[in-house]
Amino acid sequence: MEAKQDSTESIPRDGGVLDGARLLDDLVRVEVRLYTLLDARLRAAHGHGLGRFDLLRAVDAVPRCRVSDVVRRLGITVGAASKGVDRQVRDGLVRRQANPEDGRSSFLELTPAGRRVLDEMLPTLDRETAEVLRGTGVPDGDFARLARILAAVRGGLEAGSAR
């Protein structure tokens, strides 16, 4: 039987040193469990999971989006982004438009069907995320603070300031 660990072990106490391994473990396990739960709920409600949602949202967020923009936004490999885009194109959710300045590349944009899927999934994701997080017993204000902290950490990492 696995020993139950205190979820506050990674928090430094009395000016103590941060347990980096425990913090990383907590971050990764939270992400995996949250992603798995929300992916299942989106699939049940819409027939599409978080991977599709993330890719559609990335394409929508960047004007004249290219596969390299999807790579940067999602932090995935070029191969994964290309395959993901190919699936969205095949399913009629994204279209490629030739880049008039560079015939070797194309711009990505949502089709009306892709816009509809994204617009339908977003409120479900917001609602389900709130429900899952409420179920943890952590006060809502703490999640708002956590969201700000994670956004700052992510921004720093993406800007390369943590190198």
Side-chain angles (χ1 to χ4, degrees):
M1 175 180 255
E2 186 176 322
K4 183 172 174 134
Q5 293 195 4
D6 179 4
S7 63
T8 62
E9 285 182 39
S10 59
I11 300 170
R13 293 184 202 93
D14 302 322
V17 176
L18 177 70
D19 182 344
R22 178 65 190 192
L23 176 61
L24 180 61
D25 187 56
D26 287 344
L27 284 169
V28 170
R29 300 303 170 259
V30 165
E31 188 274 338
V32 168
R33 285 176 173 84
L34 190 58
Y35 192 99
T36 301
L37 277 168
L38 295 173
D39 183 70
R41 291 181 181 203
L42 281 176
R43 285 183 190 285
H46 300 284
H48 308 290
L50 273 172
R52 174 160 282 177
F53 173 83
D54 285 342
L55 199 141
L56 293 176
R57 198 168 57 144
V59 169
D60 187 49
V62 179
R64 298 170 53 108
C65 184
R66 297 168 301 166
V67 169
S68 60
D69 297 311
V70 173
V71 167
R72 274 191 298 284
R73 286 192 68 84
L74 299 182
I76 60 178
T77 66
V78 171
S82 293
K83 287 178 184 176
V85 167
D86 288 346
R87 281 191 295 274
Q88 307 322 305
V89 169
R90 178 199 68 210
D91 294 344
L93 303 177
V94 169
R95 79 173 126 243
R96 288 187 174 93
Q97 298 285 5
N99 180 345
E101 293 135 23
D102 180 357
R104 297 169 297 164
S105 70
S106 59
F107 297 123
L108 308 170
E109 65 181 15
L110 297 182
T111 64
R115 162 66 49 212
R116 201 168 34 259
V117 166
L118 183 59
D119 289 348
E120 290 170 358
M121 291 178 80
L122 186 57
T124 304
L125 181 60
D126 288 345
R127 183 181 61 252
E128 295 295 333
T129 300
E131 182 180 314
V132 168
L133 294 178
R134 261 193 309 280
T136 66
V138 174
D140 288 344
D142 288 350
F143 285 118
R145 184 168 173 243
L146 177 61
R148 287 190 301 275
I149 292 167
L150 289 175
V153 171
R154 177 180 174 181
L157 291 171
E158 289 176 354
S161 64
R163 290 181 195 182

